Amino acid sequence: MLTVLINAYACSPDMGSEPGMAWNWCVNLANQCKLHIITEGEFRYKIEAVLPTLPQGKNMQFYYNPVSDDIRKMCWNQGDWRFYSHYKEWQHKTLQIAEHIIKEHQTDIIHQLNMVGFREPGYLWKIKDIPYVWGPIGGLKQFPTAYLQEVGLKMSLFYRIKNTLNILQIKYNQRVRQAVLRTDLLIASIPDSYSAIKKYHKKEPVIMSETGCYLQKDSEENIDRFYKATFDIMWVGKFDFRKQLDLALRTVAKIKHLPGIKLSVYGMGSEKQYTHYKKLTEELNINDHIEWCGNIPNNNILEKMKTASLFFFTSVSEETSTVVPEALNCFLPVLCFDACGFGHVIDESVGIKIPFSNPSRSVDEFAEKIEYLYHHRDSLAEKSRNCAHKQEKLSWENKAKQMVELYHQTIENFHRS
């Protein structure tokens, strides 16, 4: 059994996003490996409550490197660039902890797991004589500027500068370059990251999405939901500009003539964002078709997914996003853009995708696809049944097996060279 040292800043059971991603990787890898996991301390009480209940818990040893509550707030406030200086310092301390672990325990391989953003590779790559894995790596997609049409100058400038910085940083950031060159196995979360790493560093990553599925049973359990009078479209996310809730609302306005159309919106944003979307709903005259559900626990989201007709994912800039595999886990077909990580995961068997174009055309195309599904409920039912095969392909168990195989190959290549 391999012994793996894992760097996972955010790791927690019963959560989505980065904390849930790291937890799911770790608990599944622990079925085949012994893990020494360095993480931040925000979720320590959750980890220590769950760990004794897991059969593989004996193979997971956690080491905590906590930060202050103020730094945690910066981390949760996406876009707060102050966090990176604190995160860099956290990585310095993590290197010291890792070096101590290696002195105490024989270690076969080191894995820089999360956060997935390429800008902060940590410092564990400085450790010599042990094979080093980095990934899944994300953050290298370009924001599609056509979808900046209706935002203010400040927001438009921000995303255009970010696009430029992404290229400059992956090409010229010294620590990123050093980490990439040192890495024995690179894993790209999405095709965009794969292309950027290969283009600017001449290395060949493996593409593997950062999120996964758990195998579910009883796909026939609620096929009747696709034939009910109410066509319940589900949208989940923060009211973040990247999520493009505007597109979902404008799409509903195009199809509001269809009896029973309803869009259930799960999530919240700032007061300003909420006011904006409520006003847009009134302007579009779709109040009767929109249900504002607010923030609810993840388990409740999953229960709602099991009764919805369609998962509508309008995001234009992120990795794979946890909610997309969660929808597949609930046998819920997905409508999204053919882009980022989710575009790599969703195919015609379980959903429908449209290409990037511009907001107006996207609304028309989304509306056309929904109207087709509305009138072809058998297609929805078939896509729902096909989710079982997609779950198997994307399952955490399968991903862990692939990763362990990659570990063995990497160790063999490392010692051969």
Side-chain angles (χ1 to χ4, degrees), residues 91-102:
Q91 295 288 0
H92 273 296
K93 294 179 181 177
T94 294
L95 174 60
Q96 296 172 13
I97 295 171
E99 289 172 336
H100 177 74
I101 294 170
I102 290 169

Side-chain angles (χ1 to χ4, degrees), residues 205-218:
V206 172
I207 299 179
M208 188 182 297
S209 64
E210 75 279 17
T211 59
C213 290
Y214 279 102
L215 295 175
Q216 304 292 325
K217 297 180 179 179
D218 301 324

Side-chain angles (χ1 to χ4, degrees), residues 160-305:
R160 292 176 191 277
I161 291 174
K162 187 175 180 181
N163 280 352
T164 302
L165 286 176
N166 277 352
I167 296 173
L168 293 175
Q169 287 177 310
I170 189 63
K171 286 178 69 175
Y172 301 117
N173 183 282
Q174 188 62 22
R175 190 152 56 92
V176 171
R177 288 180 63 83
Q178 288 176 314
V180 170
L181 291 174
R182 160 68 178 92
T183 302
D184 300 292
L185 171 64
L186 289 162
I187 301 167
S189 62
I190 62 175
D192 288 359
S193 295
Y194 167 88
S195 299
I197 292 168
K198 186 173 182 179
K199 178 178 181 180
Y200 297 119
H201 295 290
K202 312 305 179 187
K203 295 194 77 168
E204 188 89 18
V206 172
I207 299 179
M208 188 182 297
S209 64
E210 75 279 17
T211 59
C213 290
Y214 279 102
L215 295 175
Q216 304 292 325
K217 297 180 179 179
D218 301 324
S219 62
E220 299 284 343
E221 180 181 22
N222 198 13
I223 291 296
D224 290 345
R225 59 177 156 160
F226 301 114
Y227 298 95
K228 62 185 181 182
T230 301
F231 195 87
D232 191 359
I233 306 166
M234 191 170 179
W235 189 99
V236 180
K238 295 179 181 178
F239 293 0
D240 181 305
F241 176 70
R242 297 173 303 126
K243 305 288 188 177
Q244 296 280 302
L245 178 55
D246 290 65
L247 295 182
L249 297 175
R250 295 183 189 280
T251 298
V252 171
K254 289 273 186 180
I255 56 173
K256 63 183 180 182
H257 61 281
L258 298 173
I261 284 290
K262 183 182 77 168
L263 177 69
S264 299
V265 178
Y266 293 86
M268 283 293 292
S270 66
E271 185 175 344
K272 181 179 179 181
Q273 290 168 327
Y274 184 67
T275 301
H276 165 74
Y277 290 122
K278 286 287 288 184
K279 182 180 179 183
L280 178 60
T281 300
E282 293 171 1
E283 290 174 354
L284 295 171
N285 194 26
I286 55 173
N287 278 321
D288 293 342
H289 300 277
I290 308 298
E291 182 181 7
W292 302 97
C293 304
N295 287 326
I296 66 173
N298 186 251
N299 286 340
N300 292 2
I301 291 283
L302 299 180
E303 289 304 311
K304 296 294 184 181
M305 284 181 168

Side-chain angles (χ1 to χ4, degrees), residues 28 60 109 118 146 174 214 243 259 289 404 407:
N28 284 278
M60 301 167 70
I109 198 162
F118 77 95
Q174 188 62 22
Y214 279 102
K243 305 288 188 177
H289 300 277
V404 172
Y407 284 162

